[in-house]
Amino acid sequence: MLVKTEGPPNARIFLVGEAPGADENLLGRPFVSHAGKVLDSLLSYAGINRLDCLVGNVAREQPPGNKIEFFFEDSKCTKPKTLMLKYVNMLQQEIIQYNPNIVVGLGATALWALTGMRGIQSFRGYVQECTLVPGKKVLCTYHPAAVSRDWSLQFPAVMDLRKALRNSDTPDIPKDTRALRCNPSKREFIQYLQWLTFDWKDPIALDIETKANCHIDILGLAHSPNNAISFEILSGGRPKYEPREELEIWYWLSRALEVRPSIMHNGLFDACVLWLRNRVLTKTIFADTLIGAHVCWPEHPRSLGFLSSICLNVPAWKHQQTLTPTLYNAADAANTYGVWEVLSEELDRQKIRHTFDFEMSQVFPAGMLQLQGISVDKESQNDLLNSPKQDDLGRVIGIRPRLSLLTNEINRILNKNVNLNSPKQLQQVLYTDLGLPEQYRRRASINDPRKVTADSEALQKLSKINDNPALTMILEWKKLDKLQQFVDVTTSPEGKVHTSYNITGATMQREAKGLVVDDENDYRSFGRWSSSKSIILPFGSGNLQNVPRAARKIYRSPTGYSFISADYIQAEAVVVAYIINDLQLIRMFEDSFGKSRQYRKENNLDVHRITASQLFGIPIDKVTPDQRQVGKTLRHANNYSAGPGVLAAKLGIGMKEAKYLMNLYHQRNPMLRIWHQKVQNELRSTKILYNLLGRKHQFTERWSDELFRSAYSYIPQSTVGDLLNMSLVKIYNNYGDRIDIALQLHDAVYVIVPDHLISWAMQVMRECMLHPLQVNGMDFKIDIDFSIGPSWGEMEEVEYTDYVKSNLPVLPN
DNA sequence: GATTTTACGTA
DNA sequence: CGTACGTAAAATCT
């Protein structure tokens, strides 16, 4: 059945979808199916009444199998068939006839029909001119069916519709009033920098483009959202100016950045490059739009293109990058300025500027950590990799010789050469050649399909039911092969490795086609830093927060210096105890605060022993090590609402026993379930939670157990993350000249200090780290433990009180 | 050649 | 039915 456009003929907004589905076909009306319901909900969030709009589709009848490709010659939908051309023509006539103020295209097909463009992700959210009916205003966004499939698209779709509503008052296409000046002469550019330095009083936006090895290619500056200038430093990868001339540019840029606060998008990168390559110090990063977006909308994409599409009324420009790089760069700078103005208001509206200021304070320490790097000891590295020495059991120690020995042995037993890194080949060996029972991966949800796996958990299980020696050898090989990746790392000419600490969490940048692009996928980011490969100094294994213990020995402090680590003790457990008001645990944490490990042990001040004693109803000093282990695993599993299957696997017991233990645990600790219920209630209205330091997170997942589990972990995890970062900033700001911060590991900070400063450093670090937290009307602090060692891998626990005798920090000469 | 899947390291 | 993160290699898609 042909589906006609419907709605008031004098409507200001014309909503255009793709093609009718089954329900539409049946009723002869557009958007009446599930996608129609989603559309209604998106419109209502945007403040639009569907009855005020014209609603229709590009294609007027349902394609077989709902496949839009039906209307095209090719699978990429670039060459329309005659039928499709007829429909596009009909749409054109309708737009002319009804003459709405704005046409809103829903989905890729509508975008193509209205503007001739491809790629809804790149061009959604921008007000542009319709090519189908020249002079007509168009804005495209995601199709409701796409939103329904991927809920994370809801936010941009609603923001786009709001923009469409704002633009529906008049048919005028907003004029782009920006003055984007490209390629000024060197003289003009320097005059501009001087003008910024002496005559301009407001912040300036800055953006750099870089070529190979992060050398600055183009420099963009803006002094308002409407005024930007872009200047080329390199041409075809070669300097355009004599060193003396270039120096003049850097000098005046430094002068400008010394007095003008700067606005940047991911300024940590720009500031690091400016300092490393050109010794230009960005003295005041006044505002960072990446950080602003992370604080305002942590769950959403935050590339500059996306933010501009949400916040501004400018045309899409990201596609200009290759052809007109300076224009692109100037637009980057101007739009950064514009986005910041919107974000700044949003920070106040949401009352979360304190979180923004806190994240901004982390920029310099994080940048310093990236540029400084950490030294690799070649001798330890070589030893670990190649040592021919043997251990007590006569096995070679070196990773490489051990690996090749194992490979030979495994191939001999299996009687074929197997690539053990290939899950496919390994499955073939295990389940076909050896005929072992298939093992399945644990599912995220009971509804997910079962999948065969050959991971280490599967191998472990198989090795218990089958005595083929190859199984344990494969396990050892896999472990060692992984370890090798962390030990066999390339270092910089200075013998260092570097990592990029990302304040805004989940990876923002990834290399593709030699360009740095923003990743528009998963955005969770609970406020903890992530660590990834530094694009500026790409040496080492990248992420330094997941280096295995066994590989840490290669990171050694210079002679006369030591590593000190300070880690929060049982940090998440402490937070949970106070939140759920577990009085017994709270008392235990208070009794053990500031006490030595020995004291804690002698007085049974141990979470897991307490759990076991509650569980088995026995006195705390009668708890056996096995019972303590049960207590530990159970607490862990329950804190994050794991299922009995996991517990059964971890403790090596049956499902029935596991269920019994879990029930018993909850009977003895009813507060946990009550708190979980409370979290669910808080989620119900807005899906917003706050951690103990006032960091806000709005969850986007649909109402499900997965959402709950994610939410239960949010408060303790992000509180501890923020706490550690707060401490790290304090250590950097107050003592950064003497204490070299080396690593950030979520709940621990590692520093390198001269040996004679060890006791002083421990004292001031402790002072920086014991920050009070509040919950349920209680004040509390999370205690810290220290370790010291000559390398990251050889740290020994030490007692604070053994090192620090006085109460006042005294700096030795 | 680009993208997705599988696996695995840390807190 | 722990969550959070990043990277490498294989498998798969186009």
Side-chain angles (χ1 to χ4, degrees):
Chain A
M1 186 189 228
L2 223 59
V3 178
K4 286 185 191 143
T5 299
E6 62 180 33
N10 61 346
R12 293 175 173 187
I13 301 176
F14 186 175
L15 300 162
V16 180
E18 185 170 277
D23 296 348
E24 285 81 7
N25 183 43
L26 214 62
L27 296 168
R29 298 182 51 207
F31 284 105
V32 287
S33 59
H34 175 64
K37 289 209 183 81
V38 177
L39 176 64
D40 288 342
S41 121
L42 295 176
L43 289 172
S44 99
Y45 275 119
I48 299 174
N49 187 349
R50 175 167 167 175
L51 296 175
D52 295 338
C53 306
L54 280 159
V55 184
N57 283 304
V58 181
R60 303 305 160 103
E61 57 190 323
Q62 184 187 12
N66 283 330
K67 291 199 187 323
I68 196 72
E69 292 88 346
F70 172 77
F71 296 112
F72 293 86
E73 302 284 356
D74 57 332
S75 62
K76 285 194 172 173
C77 301
T78 54
K79 292 180 208 115
K81 290 181 182 165
T82 332
L83 184 61
M84 188 51 154
L85 286 174
K86 196 186 91 185
Y87 288 138
V88 172
N89 213 355
M90 281 168 72
L91 178 64
Q92 185 182 36
Q93 292 312 313
E94 282 178 350
I95 294 173
I96 294 170
Q97 181 193 341
Y98 297 123
N99 196 25
N101 283 344
I102 186 166
V103 183
V104 175
L106 303 170
T109 306
L111 171 72
W112 165 81
L114 293 164
T115 70
M117 288 166 158
R118 307 229 123 257
I120 189 71
Q121 223 183 50
S122 308
F123 294 105
R124 56 139 280 282
Y126 292 104
V127 176
Q128 48 192 319
E129 187 177 346
C130 188
T131 51
L132 188 62
V133 182
K136 189 55 39 200
K137 189 157 66 178
V138 169
L139 182 147
C140 291
T141 189
Y142 295 113
H143 194 280
V147 176
S148 154
R149 274 196 305 275
D150 179 357
W151 215 239
S152 68
L153 304 180
Q154 190 209 24
F155 174 75
V158 169
M159 295 301 262
D160 293 346
L161 290 171
R162 279 187 194 163
K163 193 191 281 189
L165 178 63
R166 288 199 301 274
N167 271 284
S168 67
D169 292 339
T170 73
D172 307 330
I173 298 175
K175 272 225 173 71
D176 185 6
T177 53
R178 293 172 308 164
L180 304 177
R181 199 164 155 214
C182 301
N183 303 316
S185 70
K186 191 199 100 192
R187 197 184 146 74
E188 286 170 322
F189 187 61
I190 285 178
Q191 278 172 352
Y192 180 69
L193 291 172
Q194 291 169 336
W195 178 78
L196 290 177
T197 308
F198 299 119
D199 302 315
W200 189 243
K201 292 288 168 270
D202 286 336
I204 54 177
L206 170 72
D207 183 51
I208 59 169
E209 311 298 324
T210 57
K211 272 270 182 311
N213 292 325
C214 289
H215 282 283
I216 296 177
D217 181 21
I218 303 171
L219 200 54
L221 288 161
H223 61 271
S224 86
N226 288 317
N227 291 282
I229 193 163
S230 176
F231 182 73
E232 266 189 328
I233 306 283
L234 306 180
S235 175
R238 297 180 169 280
K240 278 179 82 170
Y241 302 94
E242 294 296 313
R244 189 183 45 79
E245 291 180 300
E246 205 181 281
L247 202 60
E248 206 186 341
I249 297 164
W250 300 123
Y251 171 78
W252 282 108
L253 181 66
S254 297
R255 290 290 302 267
L257 288 175
E258 206 176 322
V259 290
R260 296 283 82 82
S262 57
I263 305 167
M264 301 192 239
H265 187 75
N266 196 11
L268 198 156
F269 172 79
D270 299 53
C272 280
V273 172
L274 278 166
W275 174 250
L276 181 71
R277 299 285 182 233
N278 310 96
R279 282 299 180 263
V280 171
L281 181 65
T282 315
K283 215 161 180 186
T284 329
I285 301 179
F286 163 71
D288 190 301
T289 47
L290 178 63
I291 289 178
H294 176 243
V295 174
C296 288
W297 305 304
E299 55 285 341
H300 296 303
R302 32 188 180 267
S303 68
L304 189 60
F306 178 79
L307 294 175
S308 300
S309 77
I310 297 290
C311 302
L312 307 177
N313 224 341
V314 297
W317 80 99
K318 287 289 173 188
H319 55 288
Q320 298 168 333
Q321 186 160 24
T322 33
L323 284 178
T324 47
T326 48
L327 188 61
Y328 166 85
N329 172 250
D332 261 4
N335 294 346
T336 300
Y337 211 117
V339 166
W340 164 246
E341 292 187 340
V342 176
L343 284 175
S344 182
E345 277 177 33
E346 186 67 17
L347 287 170
D348 291 331
R349 200 182 66 79
Q350 293 192 36
K351 300 189 171 63
I352 47 178
R353 195 173 279 273
H354 60 282
T355 308
F356 174 78
D357 292 338
F358 172 44
E359 288 196 7
M360 287 304 300
S361 74
Q362 299 167 21
V363 172
F364 268 82
M368 178 281 292
L369 280 171
Q370 175 168 184
L371 291 181
Q372 177 186 257
I374 115 170
S375 290
V376 170
D377 182 58
K378 291 282 174 192
E379 212 179 300
S380 312
Q381 188 186 28
N382 188 46
D383 239 35
L384 220 45
L385 280 175
N386 302 315
S387 172
K389 280 184 249 164
Q390 297 184 348
D391 67 7
D392 306 341
L393 299 169
R395 294 179 306 196
V396 192
I397 295 174
I399 295 172
R400 281 179 185 144
R402 180 76 191 150
L403 270 176
S404 75
L405 200 140
L406 283 167
T407 310
N408 291 339
E409 214 32 33
I410 292 165
N411 289 342
R412 193 183 58 77
I413 296 172
L414 298 178
N415 204 20
K416 69 195 251 193
N417 284 350
V418 182
N419 178 357
L420 297 172
N421 273 324
S422 159
K424 213 180 165 192
Q425 286 186 38
L426 197 51
Q427 283 180 27
Q428 162 81 23
V429 164
L430 296 175
Y431 306 128
T432 311
D433 299 356
L434 297 179
L436 298 169
E438 287 191 335
Q439 301 295 314
Y440 298 95
R441 199 169 38 175
R442 223 192 344 271
R443 293 169 287 182
S445 153
I446 199 96
N447 305 317
D448 293 348
R450 288 209 301 181
K451 274 189 177 170
V452 178
T453 176
D455 63 14
S456 61
E457 202 183 317
L459 281 161
Q460 222 132 39
K461 271 191 200 152
L462 291 173
S463 71
K464 277 186 189 141
I465 57 169
N466 188 295
D467 54 7
N468 190 328
L471 294 174
T472 48
M473 285 184 187
I474 294 171
L475 269 167
E476 196 194 342
W477 186 94
K478 284 195 147 202
K479 190 97 185 158
L480 271 184
D481 184 68
K482 190 74 180 165
L483 181 62
Q484 187 178 21
Q485 286 174 7
F486 288 98
V487 178
D488 191 10
V489 293
T490 52
T491 58
S492 69
E494 291 77 26
K496 289 179 163 186
V497 301
H498 297 257
T499 190
S500 163
Y501 283 104
N502 313 303
I503 298 164
T504 53
T507 335
M508 289 308 304
Q509 294 178 324
R510 131 194 100 149
E511 277 176 285
K513 287 189 195 169
L515 301 171
V516 176
V517 295
D518 286 355
D519 193 327
E520 301 274 2
N521 296 324
D522 285 284
Y523 292 83
R524 284 172 174 281
S525 185
F526 282 11
R528 303 208 297 192
W529 285 7
S530 78
S531 156
S532 61
K533 184 171 207 141
S534 163
I535 324 171
I536 308 172
L537 295 155
F539 306 103
S541 53
N543 182 354
L544 279 184
Q545 286 174 329
N546 71 342
V547 177
R549 283 247 141 71
R552 295 179 179 182
K553 264 192 254 175
I554 68 170
Y555 301 103
R556 185 168 288 278
S557 57
T559 349
Y561 289 76
S562 292
F563 272 90
I564 306 178
S565 79
D567 66 293
Y568 283 110
I569 306 169
Q570 299 274 356
E572 291 190 21
V574 177
V575 173
V576 171
Y578 278 88
I579 289 175
I580 69 175
N581 207 9
D582 184 332
L583 293 176
Q584 193 181 6
L585 273 193
I586 290 175
R587 219 184 109 192
M588 191 280 292
F589 286 127
E590 276 170 9
D591 287 346
S592 51
F593 189 89
K595 300 297 197 305
S596 68
R597 290 176 180 85
Q598 195 189 344
Y599 179 93
R600 282 181 248 153
K601 193 166 180 182
E602 281 168 0
N603 293 277
N604 291 311
L605 300 171
D606 177 274
V607 194
H608 309 308
R609 291 178 78 92
I610 289 183
T611 313
S613 102
Q614 286 176 341
L615 204 62
F616 301 112
I618 49 173
I620 199 155
D621 49 346
K622 293 282 188 294
V623 174
T624 66
D626 280 350
Q627 287 170 324
R628 180 183 184 275
Q629 185 58 44
V630 173
K632 182 175 177 179
T633 313
L634 204 51
R635 169 169 296 277
H636 210 228
N638 279 322
N639 271 355
Y640 298 111
S641 70
V646 182
L647 191 69
K650 283 225 165 111
L651 292 177
I653 56 175
M655 266 309 245
K656 217 170 165 184
E657 267 180 292
K659 278 186 185 159
Y660 170 77
L661 278 175
M662 289 198 120
N663 265 330
L664 192 60
Y665 178 90
H666 282 295
Q667 270 174 30
R668 304 278 153 91
N669 300 275
M671 297 81 84
L672 190 65
R673 282 229 164 118
I674 293 171
W675 177 62
H676 283 176
Q677 196 55 53
K678 221 176 112 196
V679 170
Q680 288 192 27
N681 290 341
E682 279 174 42
L683 284 170
R684 193 154 285 134
S685 52
T686 53
K687 288 196 190 167
I688 292 175
L689 292 181
Y690 292 87
N691 76 8
L692 299 192
L693 290 161
R695 179 189 290 277
K696 180 180 171 180
H697 189 91
Q698 176 154 34
F699 291 82
T700 54
E701 292 108 307
R702 264 180 273 203
W703 202 249
S704 65
D705 282 353
E706 275 160 83
L707 165 68
F708 299 150
R709 278 202 301 273
S710 189
Y712 302 151
S713 65
Y714 170 67
I715 293 183
Q717 207 180 86
S718 72
T719 301
V720 173
D722 277 346
L723 183 67
L724 192 273
N725 288 333
M726 194 179 285
S727 308
L728 191 146
V729 171
K730 272 195 248 175
I731 295 169
Y732 177 81
N733 285 344
N734 297 333
Y735 308 105
D737 54 341
R738 285 161 201 273
I739 300 178
D740 241 347
I741 302 174
L743 292 153
Q744 192 270 26
L745 293 190
H746 302 306
D747 66 356
V749 56
Y750 287 70
V751 303
I752 297 174
V753 292
D755 291 336
H756 73 283
L757 288 186
I758 286 177
S759 100
W760 169 80
M762 282 167 68
Q763 209 164 341
V764 296
M765 283 170 73
R766 187 175 159 84
E767 168 197 283
C768 287
M769 292 178 77
L770 294 180
H771 182 88
L773 297 167
Q774 286 91 31
V775 68
N776 298 332
M778 289 177 284
D779 256 40
F780 69 101
K781 290 176 185 166
I782 304 179
D783 205 1
I784 54 175
D785 266 346
F786 284 102
S787 297
I788 299 178
S791 84
W792 184 17
E794 298 148 293
M795 309 285 289
E796 298 217 349
E797 297 178 336
V798 294
E799 289 309 328
Y800 177 75
T801 43
D802 292 346
Y803 273 79
V804 180
K805 302 295 183 196
S806 79
N807 289 320
L808 288 170
V810 182
L811 183 62
N813 291 320

